[in-house]
Amino acid sequence: MLERILVTRHGFRSNWDTEWLPEMSPTGIPADPSLSAHGVDQSKELATYLSSLPYKIDRIYASPFYRCVQTIDPTAELLSLPIYTDNGIGEWYGLTRATHPSPAPASVMKGFFPRVVEGYTPSLVPSTTGESMADVHERCRKALDVLIERADAEGLKTILICSHAATLIAIGRGLTGKPDLHVNAATCSISEYIRGEGEERVGNWKRVRNGDCSHLSHGEERNWWFEGDIPVYTNDPAMAEVVLPANASEVERNADPSANSSATEKEKDESKL
């Protein structure tokens, strides 16, 4: 039976520190940037840490988008594990786009990252007509149910998921059954969930780590949260601190010592997660 789920976010994106042109995408998909040099460094630090854990990681799942597979590939190399790309934990584009961009298939990704598994059936495939915040939470809950059911059937104990900020948050809320749970979602952060009692596959997990960045030399960067159906960042480009939204509860603020007592001015950013 599955006992532990580790969740991490992709590293720093190339289009966050360079002028992005669609033709710069390795896969040819405009909404599919690679990591920046800094993001590559983060991925290596993440891999060094994950390969030193006292327990075994049995399976690696990644969003099919390039930046997520690129982030987790060094970890897969050190652990000698394949990478299963799963659309169910893929990017969230909200309702700001007419269509939901689709990632490159595993056959294409395998050309870049040989550890990618071809022929894998994803837990589900998101709508291509856009998703609301409620939609992505429900999508991740359903994907988790499938992934946990499969892990239980295979006798896996620990799985690692590499995804995006929105899905990382939705995963944490789905696992714990807490729809308003504050989840730190900085680049290459690590959240850890331990299975609770009961027969349910989702909703009964306990979070024991929330967006830990202690393994990263630059610490926490580019944190993110939901505000309705539009992605939000602080206007601090380094994202050096967790800043909760203005309507965050006092419970959230008191539970997170790194959160400011009041939120800074926020800006809406459609450059995504």
Side-chain angles (χ1 to χ4, degrees):
M1 177 179 288
L2 189 64
E3 299 173 353
R4 178 185 285 106
I5 297 178
L6 300 172
V7 187
T8 188
R9 185 185 176 195
H10 61 77
F12 212 88
R13 292 169 44 155
S14 57
N15 62 331
W16 285 341
D17 61 8
T18 60
E19 184 176 351
W20 178 253
L21 298 174
E23 55 266 29
M24 295 169 65
S25 168
T27 61
I29 298 170
D32 198 18
S34 62
L35 299 180
S36 67
H38 177 49
V40 171
D41 289 341
Q42 287 181 311
S43 73
K44 293 176 180 178
E45 291 180 329
L46 176 68
T48 298
Y49 175 75
L50 291 173
S51 65
S52 71
L53 292 173
Y55 49 83
K56 176 187 175 186
I57 294 174
D58 299 304
R59 176 71 52 81
I60 295 175
Y61 292 101
S63 160
F65 287 92
Y66 193 95
R67 57 194 175 278
C68 289
V69 182
Q70 185 181 13
T71 295
I72 214 61
D73 188 59
T75 299
E77 289 286 342
L78 287 180
L79 297 178
S80 298
L81 288 173
I83 300 171
Y84 292 81
T85 54
D86 196 295
N87 302 64
I89 55 171
E91 178 67 290
W92 176 67
Y93 288 96
L95 297 175
T96 61
R97 295 173 183 252
T99 59
H100 190 303
S102 296
S107 58
V108 171
M109 294 305 296
K110 191 174 183 66
F112 296 106
F113 307 103
R115 290 190 176 274
V116 168
V117 175
E118 290 188 79
Y120 167 74
T121 301
S123 56
L124 57 85
V125 177
S127 168
T128 58
T129 59
E131 298 173 296
S132 68
M133 184 173 72
D135 291 336
V136 72
H137 279 74
E138 179 63 12
R139 185 239 294 178
C140 287
R141 188 195 66 77
K142 290 179 178 179
L144 285 167
D145 191 70
V146 172
L147 295 180
I148 294 170
E149 181 180 31
R150 292 176 179 176
D152 286 346
E154 295 183 52
L156 307 181
K157 300 294 185 183
T158 299
I159 63 173
L160 168 64
I161 295 173
C162 182
S163 189
H164 311 265
T167 41
L168 185 153
I169 294 169
I171 285 169
R173 292 172 174 176
L175 287 173
T176 61
K178 298 177 179 179
D180 298 318
L181 183 72
H182 171 62
V183 180
N184 286 350
T187 50
C188 284
S189 61
I190 299 172
S191 292
E192 181 177 355
Y193 301 88
I194 301 297
R195 197 170 195 164
E197 297 180 354
E199 297 181 0
E200 299 85 357
R201 287 190 288 269
V202 294
N204 61 340
W205 292 68
K206 178 183 178 181
R207 185 176 65 192
V208 295
R209 275 198 287 178
N210 180 23
D212 179 22
C213 294
S214 60
H215 54 287
L216 301 172
S217 57
H218 288 267
E220 183 178 291
E221 298 176 279
R222 203 80 185 189
N223 205 2
W224 187 94
W225 61 80
F226 282 104
E227 183 174 280
D229 297 322
I230 301 174
V232 174
Y233 293 105
T234 67
N235 56 9
D236 173 8
M239 297 300 290
E241 296 182 351
V242 174
V243 185
L244 297 181
N247 62 353
S249 69
E250 286 303 310
V251 172
E252 287 179 318
R253 296 186 185 282
N254 293 336
D256 184 1
S258 65
N260 293 345
S261 59
S262 62
T264 63
E265 182 69 22
K266 299 184 292 295
E267 63 182 7
K268 296 178 180 178
D269 183 339
E270 295 181 10
S271 63
K272 289 311 298 146
L273 318 182

